[in-house]
Structures are given as C-alpha cells and as structure tokens.
Amino acid sequence: MLQVSFLRQNRDLAKKKLAIKHFAQPDLVDTVIDLDDERKQLQASFDETQAKVNSASKEIGAMMAKGDKEKAEATKTAVGEWKKQLEPLKEKMAQVEIDLQNALVQFPNLPHDLVPLGKSPEENVLVREGGVLPKLPADAEAHWDLIKKYNLVDFETGAKITGSGFPLYIGKGAKFQRALVQYFLDFNTAAGYTEYLPPFMVNAASAFATGQLPDKEGQMYHATEDDFYLIPTAEVPVTNIFRDVVLKETDLPLQMTAYSPCFRREAGSFGKEVRGLNRVHQFEKVEIIQIVHPDKSDEVLNEMVAHVEKLLVSLGLPYRILRLCGGDMGFASAITYDFEVYSAAQERWLEVSSVSNFESYQTYRMKCRFKDAAGKIQFAHSLNGSSLALPRIFAAIVENYQTEVGIALPKALQPYFGTENLI
RNA sequence: AGAGAGGUGUCCGAGUGGUUUAAGGAGCACGCUUGGAAAGCGUGUAUACGGCAACGUAUCGGGGGUUCGAAUCCCUUCCUCUCUUCCA
C-alpha cells in the first residue's frame, strides 16, 4: 500500500510512475489527498470536542466527590450537548477513513527506476542467459507423455479425487518431489536462510497484508465456513510472521525459507500452456523471503537473484533471467526478475521463479517496522522469490534429461534421490 | 465438540465505575557514585493520528454497547489454559 504522505510530497512523480504500471486512474492520487485533508480536518474538530467531554467528565467526578450534585447535573447537560455534536463527526470520519482506505488499496506499488517501459511479456528485458541446451534423442517427448510412460504422475486419478489440475504423484514421481524439496531447502539454509514450515491456510488479515486481498480475491481457494484462505504461496504466511511487529535494527536482515503446497484457482486459464504440469491448481514450492533495511533492499534483490541463479546452474538447465516491464509486473512489486528454463521437448520457456522487491508496499500494509539507531520507527522492506517452484522444474528435468532408455538426473540431485538416474 | 478459568506496557503483576494521569517489581538506557565493576541513588523507557510546538485524541486481545465517565459492567468474536470428549 502506498503512503498518503508520499503521494502528497511526490504527486507528479507518483502519477508518472503509476503510468509505467499502466494504472488507469491517475486522478485517484488527487482524490486520496483530498480525502486525507478532509480526514485531518474532521479529526481536529472531533479531538477538540472530545477533549472538552473528557475534562468535564473528570470535573463531574470531583463534584460528586464533594457532594455538589446540582453542579454535577448541570455539567452533565452541557456534556450531553457536546456528545450530540460528536455523533455526526464520528460517522463522517469513519466514512472518510473507509473511502480513503478503499482508494489507497487500489494503487499498485510504484515501479523501481530500473523497470523497463512496456505493456506485454514481449517487452521484458533479457538480463542474461546460461546453461546449455541438451542433445535430446530423435523421438524426444514432452513431459506429459513421459510421466505417463514411466507412471510418475496420474492426472486422471487426481481429477477423480479432486478435480483437474490436482496431480497425483506416484512412486518415483512422488519421491522426486520429496528430493527436490529437500535439496532446495538445504541449498537455501546453507546460504543462511532459516527454515520455516508455516500454516497452509491463512485468515483474511494475513491475505490482506501481503496484497492477495482485495486484489486477487478470486484467485485463492476460500474455506468460507471458517473464513480461511488456502495459501497461493508460502510468502503469505511467512511474511505475516512479522505483521504488527516492531523489530530492532539489529534483527535485520531476516532471511526465511519455507516449503509449502500452493493453491491457485487460476480462473480463466486454458489451452496448450496449461498442459501437463505447466499450470496446475496445487503445486509444491520452496520460497525465500527477506525483511531488510530499506537502504539494503536493492542490493539484497541482486543477491537473491544470484542465489536462485546458482541453484538453477546446479540443476544444469538452460535458463534466462528477465527483468519484467511495467505492464507485466505484479501488483505489489516494485521490481521483478523472472527466471525461465527452456524445455527442449516443448520448445518453449517455462517460468520457474519470480524474485521481487516489494520495498515498503507490503510492510506498510502489515505494519512491519523497525526502530533505527536514532530510535525512529521506519518501515522495513520485504522481498521474496521462488527457490524454486517444483512442477515446471520437474517437467524441465524430465524433458531435458530424457535418454533412449530412461531419464537421467542432475548430479546435485543424485544424493537426494538416491540413484544416478530417475528411471 | 461440551464445561470452566483467563487475556493488562519489553516481561511479571495490581487494579470490579470517578486524582489510574494504568500501582508495584523486573529488565533495558542514560546520569551520579567508583581505580574499574557490582550495589545504591536519580532520570527515562509503547504505538498511531492531528499539531511548528505546548499539547490533544485513540489504544488494557479484536469489534460493538451501557454511562457525564469503562481496564473495570453488558453483548459478540478471536486466542490461551484446565477438565471431559474425539483424533494423527
């Protein structure tokens, strides 16, 4: 969430940056400032009247103690008048605050200066590429055929149990998931991240804090009986650990990693892009999250990008890193790098990680602050990234490591899986 | 799921309608004291909003209500503990 004080001081800059994100209503900036002016004015007169009520009430107490009943009754009448004035003020103030809040949450985060202009994924900027394309056998198959052939994943039975997009992993397929999760977590904790295993459902306050509500309401599964949401990413519960918390400056940076299943309704998805494991409603992911000093977040973002890159290199997959353009970025992000691996059999790039700096957008929303050396309270910056999302890594490894006789494994995974080859 | 007891500041803890302007203790910070430390003494020690400031307003788990006045009374909700029940 953007801060009114920032919008007030940087009215034109904010509008310019919102345009990069293709935000449709720049005038909302003015609306918000007007509403905030109105709120201030209302609060000033409310406080003034309330102060009179408070001190008169205290006097009544003193009069009663002295037994001066008559005077007390007279003061009560006067207080009654003030309280009548308070009622409409209170209502108006509550309404203005709701309007202000409703307007504020509509703003996406402002893009970082490095964010390229552009509207669609084609305008993302290639930062670098790495890895080598595999030499596949002549009759190379896509992963949806391979997993059927080797009985690694059963989509049909998953669909029977739940619905489409809920894969059932079997035998070596299931074990491979476990090996990947374990490898990713070990890789992250070795780099200094603390491992968490969070709740897989969150309440509305948590979903709001990280920006899933109200923006992505329809994208989450909602358990209405208890009003809980199934998490779309571990980012939601883990970042919320620090909701309504004032940290010490020395606590920073906080580095967390967590495995979780992720649940996404993916309403409106269709076509070839969603085949097999390319897009599913439930998938596994290991996430990295950091809460850092605002001066450090640019630097930390680069570190996190380098960290994920190292992990991809260890898997021997051809990859590229893209800096997303303003139109392709997420709502809450200030700058995002996407990682894609090349699936040789599908002949297309698959997004496997997205690393973002949210700056103070999430931390302001959830009141995650720290006390600096001077004793001043500041909002921290939050960042997160996938390290990594499993299904497309699964797909890419199965496709890129296929041989005439089976499926090989990257060296790094062999000790985790227990054998040299997957099949 | 049923019954009961609770939720107060960084922590412990007092407080059942009116100098509570949240007692007292601990911790922490600073100062005095000391050769240095400890003890002792003194001062300070939440957040948000408004205000140049003085200061004002709000917050005793959350929300609502009663009252001139609520940490205190009422309703509601969340959470914790104990017992019963159930369960991996």
Side-chain angles (χ1 to χ4, degrees), chain A residues 32-338:
Chain A
V32 156
I33 294 169
D34 290 346
L35 280 169
D36 193 49
D37 285 337
E38 194 181 351
R39 180 190 62 82
K40 283 185 186 185
Q41 211 180 342
L42 284 167
Q43 193 184 335
S45 45
F46 179 87
D47 283 0
E48 197 188 331
T49 311
Q50 184 67 51
K52 284 199 277 188
V53 170
N54 286 349
S55 68
S57 293
K58 224 164 271 176
E59 283 165 26
I60 291 172
M63 291 169 197
M64 301 286 258
K66 271 192 271 173
D68 197 348
K69 281 231 168 93
E70 237 170 76
K71 214 172 162 190
E73 286 303 324
T75 310
K76 272 193 200 182
T77 315
V79 171
E81 286 304 310
W82 291 327
K83 287 194 61 163
K84 264 184 223 152
Q85 295 169 23
L86 237 37
E87 278 308 313
L89 273 178
K90 201 172 162 185
E91 271 169 43
K92 187 88 181 109
M93 200 158 68
Q95 190 54 52
V96 169
E97 260 164 34
I98 289 168
D99 292 347
L100 181 59
Q101 185 74 2
N102 286 345
L104 269 180
V105 296
Q106 290 179 51
F107 289 114
N109 199 358
L110 301 178
H112 190 278
D113 287 340
L114 286 173
V115 170
L117 297 174
K119 204 155 191 177
S120 63
E122 289 74 44
E123 292 166 275
N124 294 336
V125 172
L126 179 66
V127 177
R128 49 178 184 273
E129 304 182 81
V132 215
L133 284 178
K135 290 188 197 87
L136 294 190
D139 56 346
E141 296 172 88
H143 74 269
W144 47 83
D145 291 324
L146 290 164
I147 56 182
K148 205 165 212 170
K149 182 158 133 195
Y150 295 120
N151 196 31
L152 300 174
V153 186
D154 180 348
F155 286 103
E156 288 72 20
T157 305
K160 182 182 84 175
I161 299 167
T162 308
S164 76
F166 288 89
L168 173 72
Y169 294 86
I170 303 169
K172 288 181 171 177
K175 185 178 179 185
F176 189 40
Q177 288 281 305
R178 175 156 59 90
L180 285 168
V181 168
Q182 182 98 337
Y183 173 56
F184 294 164
L185 283 171
D186 282 353
F187 187 87
N188 295 339
T189 53
Y193 290 87
T194 301
E195 184 173 343
Y196 285 79
L197 200 145
F200 298 154
M201 288 181 148
V202 294
N203 56 31
S206 293
F208 178 83
T210 34
Q212 274 69 30
L213 291 179
D215 184 48
K216 294 176 188 154
E217 170 95 62
Q219 289 296 332
M220 285 187 293
Y221 289 96
H222 188 191
T224 52
E225 178 87 18
D226 296 288
D227 199 20
F228 293 152
Y229 293 87
L230 272 77
I231 58 172
T233 160
E235 163 201 341
V236 179
V238 173
T239 312
N240 269 282
I241 295 168
F242 303 100
R243 169 153 56 89
D244 292 320
V245 169
V246 180
L247 297 156
K248 291 192 252 329
E249 187 165 3
T250 49
D251 292 335
L252 304 176
L254 291 159
Q255 306 178 287
M256 290 81 66
T257 184
Y259 149 78
S260 86
C262 303
F263 303 92
R264 300 187 183 180
R265 294 188 61 227
E266 304 289 7
S269 300
F270 60 92
K272 177 167 86 135
E273 297 201 350
V274 307
R275 250 192 113 173
L277 288 167
N278 286 355
R279 180 161 295 171
V280 284
H281 291 305
Q282 180 187 318
F283 63 94
E284 324 293 302
K285 180 160 62 65
V286 174
E287 186 81 358
I288 49 175
I289 297 119
Q290 295 211 36
I291 308 275
V292 306
H293 192 288
D295 295 347
K296 292 279 165 61
S297 68
D298 284 341
E299 183 186 330
V300 168
L301 178 66
N302 290 333
E303 284 167 20
M304 288 170 74
V305 167
H307 175 81
V308 173
E309 185 173 10
K310 217 168 105 193
L311 181 53
L312 274 180
V313 166
S314 79
L315 294 175
L317 295 170
Y319 67 91
R320 66 180 186 187
I321 305 174
L322 303 170
R323 185 185 293 142
L324 297 193
C325 70
D328 198 30
M329 273 168 64
F331 189 75
S333 171
I335 179 165
T336 297
Y337 290 93
D338 266 10

